[in-house]
Amino acid sequence: GENVEQHPSTLSVQEGDSAVIKCTYSDSASNYFPWYKQELGKRPQLIIDIRSNVGEKKDQRIAVTLNKTAKHFSLHITETQPEDSAVYFCAAMNSGGYQKVTFGTGTKLQVIP
Amino acid sequence: NAGVTQTPKFRVLKTGQSMTLLCAQDMNHEYMYWYRQDPGMGLRLIHYSVGEGTTAKGEVPDGYNVSRLKKQNFLLGLESAAPSQTSVYFCASSSTLSYNEQFFGPGTRLTVL
């Protein structure tokens, strides 16, 4: 089955700096890669996603890049703000047949004011 | 719309007791999922359902059973609770087989003594 590895497990940055979270996946059939943000005590919520036919996607201060050859994808947050502090999960999915989503183990991001 | 709701929000069980967690969604989604979230382990899929009357095993199904008698409801049962089942349980739903956001419920914090 799919295996998703996520690094780092914790990340501290100064407000205004950039943060990068990296994930690798094992199943070359995976073709959809969402990122979820989970604030303390809350439910995970989708913040951005990318499909395998696209190399990069951007939405304001967040962007995701995908390297299918190397089987890795990354989340980039620029101009970080204290409200970006949360746990971020990457995930990988093969949309063919059953839609099975495999999540990474999460990155706890702390933005220091 | 309420989205995805879960009951109860908190529960404490003694080893060997049984209980049922209820997930309800009002978005007419076909797919529903049960995950457990443990520190450092991310979100792990317990069971899922692709439609009313159908269920299937996920990554960590042992000790749990599920039922989907109605499209809007997905029940997770623990027949004989064990301390290893202490966790936060999230239900999620999505609308199609491919490329779709998973909407999560608020979670149930379960402690097994």
Side-chain angles (χ1 to χ4, degrees):
Chain A
E2 175 67 276
N3 182 47
V4 177
E5 295 190 355
Q6 182 172 348
H7 299 280
S9 57
T10 60
L11 179 61
S12 291
V13 299
Q14 292 289 330
E15 182 178 356
D17 287 350
S18 296
V20 180
I21 302 170
K22 299 182 178 181
C23 291
T24 61
Y25 62 98
S26 61
D27 187 353
S28 57
S30 290
N31 55 8
Y32 174 61
F33 307 92
W35 286 86
Y36 287 80
K37 175 183 180 182
Q38 185 179 28
E39 297 177 353
L40 186 63
K42 304 249 179 107
R43 69 192 80 189
Q45 290 189 299
L46 181 73
I47 55 170
I48 195 169
D49 55 18
I50 190 168
R51 302 176 187 181
S52 59
N53 59 347
V54 176
E56 184 173 358
K57 183 177 180 180
K58 190 173 181 179
D59 182 3
Q60 298 183 341
R61 295 187 297 107
I62 61 173
V64 58
T65 58
L66 171 65
N67 184 326
K68 286 170 51 181
T69 304
K71 296 200 193 77
H72 66 70
F73 55 113
S74 301
L75 178 71
H76 304 253
I77 306 174
T78 58
E79 301 173 12
T80 53
Q81 300 168 3
E83 52 264 38
D84 294 329
S85 295
V87 178
Y88 293 81
F89 292 97
C90 63
M93 185 186 84
N94 177 1
S95 62
Y98 156 55
Q99 183 197 49
K100 184 178 184 298
V101 178
T102 302
F103 285 88
T105 51
T107 296
K108 184 176 182 180
L109 173 64
Q110 181 184 18
V111 179
I112 304 167
Chain B
N1 286 350
V4 181
T5 59
Q6 292 181 233
T7 51
K9 289 185 171 55
F10 304 94
R11 186 72 187 268
V12 178
L13 290 178
K14 294 182 179 178
T15 297
Q17 289 185 318
S18 64
M19 76 163 295
T20 300
L21 283 68
L22 171 64
C23 176
Q25 52 95 4
D26 61 2
M27 297 175 282
N28 201 34
H29 286 173
E30 295 86 3
Y31 273 29
M32 296 187 75
Y33 313 81
W34 275 107
Y35 294 92
R36 61 176 289 172
Q37 184 174 35
D38 303 293
M41 304 288 286
L43 291 155
R44 294 184 292 168
L45 183 65
I46 305 171
H47 286 280
Y48 64 96
S49 168
V50 302
E52 182 178 317
T54 71
T55 64
K57 295 180 180 179
E59 182 185 354
V60 288
D62 294 342
Y64 305 95
N65 56 75
V66 289
S67 64
R68 183 121 180 247
L69 299 179
K70 294 182 179 180
K71 186 177 183 179
Q72 63 268 34
N73 295 337
F74 195 28
L75 279 64
L76 177 71
L78 286 73
E79 291 183 346
S80 180
S84 61
Q85 294 178 304
T86 294
S87 187
V88 179
Y89 292 85
F90 285 98
C91 175
S93 70
S94 63
S95 66
T96 64
L97 278 173
S98 61
Y99 298 145
N100 247 38
E101 175 181 358
Q102 295 204 357
F103 292 85
F104 284 85
T108 295
R109 184 174 294 276
L110 175 66
T111 301
V112 183
L113 302 176

mmCIF file of all heavy atoms in Angstrom, chain B residues 28-47:
data_model
loop_
_atom_site.group_PDB
_atom_site.id
_atom_site.type_symbol
_atom_site.label_atom_id
_atom_site.label_comp_id
_atom_site.label_asym_id
_atom_site.label_seq_id
_atom_site.Cartn_x
_atom_site.Cartn_y
_atom_site.Cartn_z
ATOM 1 N N ASN B 28 -25.108 14.863 1.506
ATOM 2 C CA ASN B 28 -25.443 13.836 0.521
ATOM 3 C C ASN B 28 -24.187 13.182 -0.079
ATOM 4 O O ASN B 28 -24.175 12.775 -1.242
ATOM 5 C CB ASN B 28 -26.319 14.401 -0.606
ATOM 6 C CG ASN B 28 -27.094 13.308 -1.336
ATOM 7 O OD1 ASN B 28 -27.497 12.317 -0.730
ATOM 8 N ND2 ASN B 28 -27.292 13.490 -2.628
ATOM 9 N N HIS B 29 -23.135 13.078 0.733
ATOM 10 C CA HIS B 29 -21.893 12.475 0.277
ATOM 11 C C HIS B 29 -22.002 10.960 0.226
ATOM 12 O O HIS B 29 -22.609 10.337 1.096
ATOM 13 C CB HIS B 29 -20.737 12.881 1.195
ATOM 14 C CG HIS B 29 -20.288 14.277 1.003
ATOM 15 N ND1 HIS B 29 -19.365 14.883 1.818
ATOM 16 C CD2 HIS B 29 -20.613 15.204 0.066
ATOM 17 C CE1 HIS B 29 -19.146 16.116 1.397
ATOM 18 N NE2 HIS B 29 -19.899 16.330 0.335
ATOM 19 N N GLU B 30 -21.360 10.408 -0.814
ATOM 20 C CA GLU B 30 -21.377 8.949 -0.947
ATOM 21 C C GLU B 30 -20.371 8.283 0.006
ATOM 22 O O GLU B 30 -20.636 7.251 0.576
ATOM 23 C CB GLU B 30 -21.036 8.530 -2.387
ATOM 24 C CG GLU B 30 -22.075 8.965 -3.428
ATOM 25 C CD GLU B 30 -21.845 10.366 -3.932
ATOM 26 O OE1 GLU B 30 -20.850 11.000 -3.533
ATOM 27 O OE2 GLU B 30 -22.667 10.842 -4.733
ATOM 28 N N TYR B 31 -19.192 8.874 0.094
ATOM 29 C CA TYR B 31 -18.107 8.248 0.859
ATOM 30 C C TYR B 31 -18.075 8.767 2.283
ATOM 31 O O TYR B 31 -18.208 9.959 2.521
ATOM 32 C CB TYR B 31 -16.759 8.568 0.208
ATOM 33 C CG TYR B 31 -16.347 7.608 -0.875
ATOM 34 C CD1 TYR B 31 -17.273 6.929 -1.643
ATOM 35 C CD2 TYR B 31 -15.001 7.387 -1.145
ATOM 36 C CE1 TYR B 31 -16.898 6.044 -2.628
ATOM 37 C CE2 TYR B 31 -14.614 6.506 -2.130
ATOM 38 C CZ TYR B 31 -15.555 5.837 -2.864
ATOM 39 O OH TYR B 31 -15.164 4.972 -3.835
ATOM 40 N N MET B 32 -17.859 7.842 3.219
ATOM 41 C CA MET B 32 -17.651 8.207 4.611
ATOM 42 C C MET B 32 -16.523 7.391 5.189
ATOM 43 O O MET B 32 -16.274 6.255 4.746
ATOM 44 C CB MET B 32 -18.956 8.026 5.421
ATOM 45 C CG MET B 32 -20.085 8.957 4.944
ATOM 46 S SD MET B 32 -21.552 8.926 5.989
ATOM 47 C CE MET B 32 -20.995 9.875 7.409
ATOM 48 N N TYR B 33 -15.836 7.967 6.159
ATOM 49 C CA TYR B 33 -14.614 7.368 6.695
ATOM 50 C C TYR B 33 -14.579 7.528 8.215
ATOM 51 O O TYR B 33 -15.098 8.496 8.754
ATOM 52 C CB TYR B 33 -13.367 8.082 6.141
ATOM 53 C CG TYR B 33 -13.353 8.330 4.662
ATOM 54 C CD1 TYR B 33 -14.035 9.410 4.105
ATOM 55 C CD2 TYR B 33 -12.630 7.506 3.810
ATOM 56 C CE1 TYR B 33 -14.012 9.652 2.745
ATOM 57 C CE2 TYR B 33 -12.591 7.754 2.440
ATOM 58 C CZ TYR B 33 -13.288 8.826 1.920
ATOM 59 O OH TYR B 33 -13.264 9.057 0.574
ATOM 60 N N TRP B 34 -13.908 6.597 8.856
ATOM 61 C CA TRP B 34 -13.548 6.745 10.257
ATOM 62 C C TRP B 34 -12.028 6.668 10.377
ATOM 63 O O TRP B 34 -11.395 5.726 9.880
ATOM 64 C CB TRP B 34 -14.165 5.650 11.127
ATOM 65 C CG TRP B 34 -15.564 5.952 11.564
ATOM 66 C CD1 TRP B 34 -16.717 5.382 11.123
ATOM 67 C CD2 TRP B 34 -15.955 6.904 12.567
ATOM 68 N NE1 TRP B 34 -17.800 5.919 11.761
ATOM 69 C CE2 TRP B 34 -17.362 6.855 12.666
ATOM 70 C CE3 TRP B 34 -15.265 7.795 13.396
ATOM 71 C CZ2 TRP B 34 -18.083 7.640 13.544
ATOM 72 C CZ3 TRP B 34 -15.981 8.578 14.269
ATOM 73 C CH2 TRP B 34 -17.379 8.510 14.343
ATOM 74 N N TYR B 35 -11.451 7.690 11.054
ATOM 75 C CA TYR B 35 -10.027 7.735 11.324
ATOM 76 C C TYR B 35 -9.805 7.783 12.830
ATOM 77 O O TYR B 35 -10.642 8.265 13.580
ATOM 78 C CB TYR B 35 -9.391 9.003 10.730
ATOM 79 C CG TYR B 35 -9.391 9.109 9.234
ATOM 80 C CD1 TYR B 35 -10.432 9.753 8.558
ATOM 81 C CD2 TYR B 35 -8.345 8.591 8.484
ATOM 82 C CE1 TYR B 35 -10.422 9.875 7.171
ATOM 83 C CE2 TYR B 35 -8.325 8.715 7.094
ATOM 84 C CZ TYR B 35 -9.372 9.354 6.455
ATOM 85 O OH TYR B 35 -9.355 9.472 5.080
ATOM 86 N N ARG B 36 -8.636 7.367 13.229
ATOM 87 C CA ARG B 36 -8.180 7.633 14.574
ATOM 88 C C ARG B 36 -6.911 8.456 14.496
ATOM 89 O O ARG B 36 -6.102 8.289 13.567
ATOM 90 C CB ARG B 36 -7.967 6.359 15.380
ATOM 91 C CG ARG B 36 -6.955 5.388 14.876
ATOM 92 C CD ARG B 36 -6.792 4.201 15.838
ATOM 93 N NE ARG B 36 -6.121 4.593 17.080
ATOM 94 C CZ ARG B 36 -5.987 3.817 18.146
ATOM 95 N NH1 ARG B 36 -6.473 2.577 18.125
ATOM 96 N NH2 ARG B 36 -5.376 4.240 19.227
ATOM 97 N N GLN B 37 -6.770 9.375 15.457
ATOM 98 C CA GLN B 37 -5.601 10.245 15.478
ATOM 99 C C GLN B 37 -4.883 10.080 16.802
ATOM 100 O O GLN B 37 -5.439 10.351 17.866
ATOM 101 C CB GLN B 37 -5.994 11.712 15.288
ATOM 102 C CG GLN B 37 -4.801 12.643 15.213
ATOM 103 C CD GLN B 37 -5.179 14.077 14.893
ATOM 104 O OE1 GLN B 37 -6.214 14.571 15.312
ATOM 105 N NE2 GLN B 37 -4.340 14.748 14.130
ATOM 106 N N ASP B 38 -3.633 9.659 16.719
ATOM 107 C CA ASP B 38 -2.785 9.482 17.880
ATOM 108 C C ASP B 38 -1.549 10.349 17.710
ATOM 109 O O ASP B 38 -1.098 10.574 16.579
ATOM 110 C CB ASP B 38 -2.383 8.008 18.029
ATOM 111 C CG ASP B 38 -3.603 7.100 18.123
ATOM 112 O OD1 ASP B 38 -4.316 7.204 19.129
ATOM 113 O OD2 ASP B 38 -3.834 6.309 17.189
ATOM 114 N N PRO B 39 -0.971 10.825 18.809
ATOM 115 C CA PRO B 39 0.210 11.707 18.724
ATOM 116 C C PRO B 39 1.328 11.077 17.896
ATOM 117 O O PRO B 39 1.696 9.923 18.121
ATOM 118 C CB PRO B 39 0.618 11.862 20.186
ATOM 119 C CG PRO B 39 -0.643 11.649 20.967
ATOM 120 C CD PRO B 39 -1.404 10.604 20.210
ATOM 121 N N GLY B 40 1.814 11.823 16.932
ATOM 122 C CA GLY B 40 2.919 11.347 16.111
ATOM 123 C C GLY B 40 2.565 10.313 15.064
ATOM 124 O O GLY B 40 3.436 9.840 14.335
ATOM 125 N N MET B 41 1.264 9.967 14.990
ATOM 126 C CA MET B 41 0.860 8.902 14.045
ATOM 127 C C MET B 41 0.004 9.427 12.899
ATOM 128 O O MET B 41 -0.360 8.686 12.003
ATOM 129 C CB MET B 41 0.077 7.816 14.793
ATOM 130 C CG MET B 41 0.804 7.203 15.957
ATOM 131 S SD MET B 41 2.141 6.144 15.420
ATOM 132 C CE MET B 41 1.239 4.737 14.818
ATOM 133 N N GLY B 42 -0.334 10.661 12.930
ATOM 134 C CA GLY B 42 -1.187 11.206 11.879
ATOM 135 C C GLY B 42 -2.601 10.666 11.980
ATOM 136 O O GLY B 42 -3.081 10.286 13.055
ATOM 137 N N LEU B 43 -3.263 10.596 10.853
ATOM 138 C CA LEU B 43 -4.635 10.097 10.769
ATOM 139 C C LEU B 43 -4.598 8.714 10.119
ATOM 140 O O LEU B 43 -4.134 8.566 8.984
ATOM 141 C CB LEU B 43 -5.482 11.048 9.920
ATOM 142 C CG LEU B 43 -5.756 12.404 10.544
ATOM 143 C CD1 LEU B 43 -6.029 13.444 9.477
ATOM 144 C CD2 LEU B 43 -6.934 12.312 11.502
ATOM 145 N N ARG B 44 -5.092 7.738 10.814
ATOM 146 C CA ARG B 44 -5.083 6.379 10.280
ATOM 147 C C ARG B 44 -6.509 5.902 10.025
ATOM 148 O O ARG B 44 -7.373 6.019 10.892
ATOM 149 C CB ARG B 44 -4.353 5.434 11.237
ATOM 150 C CG ARG B 44 -2.865 5.739 11.360
ATOM 151 C CD ARG B 44 -2.155 4.717 12.229
ATOM 152 N NE ARG B 44 -2.576 4.835 13.633
ATOM 153 C CZ ARG B 44 -2.294 3.938 14.565
ATOM 154 N NH1 ARG B 44 -1.605 2.860 14.261
ATOM 155 N NH2 ARG B 44 -2.694 4.125 15.806
ATOM 156 N N LEU B 45 -6.727 5.351 8.859
ATOM 157 C CA LEU B 45 -8.056 4.939 8.442
ATOM 158 C C LEU B 45 -8.460 3.632 9.105
ATOM 159 O O LEU B 45 -7.742 2.638 9.023
ATOM 160 C CB LEU B 45 -8.095 4.790 6.913
ATOM 161 C CG LEU B 45 -9.429 4.429 6.291
ATOM 162 C CD1 LEU B 45 -10.432 5.551 6.498
ATOM 163 C CD2 LEU B 45 -9.256 4.149 4.805
ATOM 164 N N ILE B 46 -9.627 3.640 9.751
ATOM 165 C CA ILE B 46 -10.117 2.440 10.436
ATOM 166 C C ILE B 46 -11.017 1.632 9.491
ATOM 167 O O ILE B 46 -10.750 0.465 9.187
ATOM 168 C CB ILE B 46 -10.903 2.821 11.703
ATOM 169 C CG1 ILE B 46 -10.058 3.692 12.622
ATOM 170 C CG2 ILE B 46 -11.357 1.561 12.444
ATOM 171 C CD1 ILE B 46 -10.840 4.283 13.794
ATOM 172 N N HIS B 47 -12.090 2.251 9.060
ATOM 173 C CA HIS B 47 -13.032 1.661 8.106
ATOM 174 C C HIS B 47 -13.563 2.779 7.225
ATOM 175 O O HIS B 47 -13.503 3.951 7.587
ATOM 176 C CB HIS B 47 -14.216 0.995 8.816
ATOM 177 C CG HIS B 47 -13.918 -0.298 9.493
ATOM 178 N ND1 HIS B 47 -13.827 -1.495 8.814
ATOM 179 C CD2 HIS B 47 -13.719 -0.586 10.807
ATOM 180 C CE1 HIS B 47 -13.591 -2.465 9.686
ATOM 181 N NE2 HIS B 47 -13.513 -1.936 10.895
#
